[in-house]
Amino acid sequence: MMKVDVYKRAEDNNLCSYLVVPHQKPLPEEVVNTDWLVHELDVDFERDGGMHFTLDPEDAFHQIGEKGYAISHLGDRTIDGDVH
């Protein structure tokens, strides 16, 4: 399990993406120019096989290990309001 902060970004066609960073870490420089809004802070992010904010846990842990953050893939974006 990892504690994370979750950010959300509205996109075209009423879709949204999620960005997950380890708790209390700043947003990475490559995403600060985008309109990310705080969605939830201090979230328990687990490798339990269930989706977290459209993110597959194994993929998210891999992305965090590689880049320091995880972001929704284009094909995994969802209609705004469908995910909590």
Side-chain angles (χ1 to χ4, degrees), residues 2 20 45 55-65 69-71:
M2 176 187 305
V20 175
F45 199 91
L55 297 162
D56 174 85
E58 286 300 320
D59 180 49
F61 273 85
H62 177 76
Q63 286 188 58
I64 290 169
Y69 65 92
I71 192 168

Side-chain angles (χ1 to χ4, degrees), residues 18-70:
Y18 291 89
L19 173 74
V20 175
V21 296
H23 182 55
Q24 296 185 325
K25 295 283 186 183
L27 285 176
E29 284 188 37
E30 58 266 33
V31 300
V32 295
N33 63 340
T34 309
D35 296 327
W36 290 102
L37 301 174
V38 172
H39 183 66
E40 289 186 45
L41 299 175
D42 199 21
V43 175
D44 291 333
F45 199 91
E46 300 185 42
R47 288 182 167 168
D48 62 3
M51 295 291 282
H52 294 288
F53 310 101
T54 76
L55 297 162
D56 174 85
E58 286 300 320
D59 180 49
F61 273 85
H62 177 76
Q63 286 188 58
I64 290 169
E66 191 174 86
K67 305 182 288 194
Y69 65 92

